[in-house]
Amino acid sequence: GIEATPKYIATQPIIAGTDLLLFSGDQSPIDQSIDEFLRAYNAGEVAQEKVQNAVNRIVKLKQNLLR
């Protein structure tokens, strides 16, 4: 099976095309997941273009909702 590590939780949905991750509960695993995502991003394991495209879609949605 798949081990749901903080790195897996934070990177795989983004790699698969998810634009936004929502976390709740204890802050420690959230912080760990964010740290692991940043490490993976900086190591090139998560494509900069993929993240930038997700950011652009979120910003566009926000702009459209605020009209």
Side-chain angles (χ1 to χ4, degrees), residues 16-65:
T18 298
D19 290 342
L20 183 66
L21 296 177
L22 299 177
F23 293 92
S24 66
D26 185 32
Q27 189 65 39
S28 180
I30 297 168
D31 292 342
Q32 216 176 0
S33 293
I34 292 169
D35 290 344
E36 289 295 336
F37 173 80
L38 292 173
R39 278 191 205 96
Y41 178 81
N42 289 329
E45 296 173 34
V46 178
Q48 181 179 4
E49 181 180 10
K50 202 166 226 2
V51 174
Q52 188 59 55
N53 288 340
V55 169
N56 291 342
R57 285 189 294 271
I58 293 167
V59 169
K60 184 177 178 180
L61 175 64
K62 183 178 177 180
Q63 290 170 340
N64 288 337
L65 292 173

Side-chain angles (χ1 to χ4, degrees), residues 4-21:
T5 63
K7 180 179 179 181
Y8 184 88
I9 291 167
T11 60
Q12 291 307 304
I14 301 298
I15 292 169
T18 298
D19 290 342
L20 183 66
L21 296 177

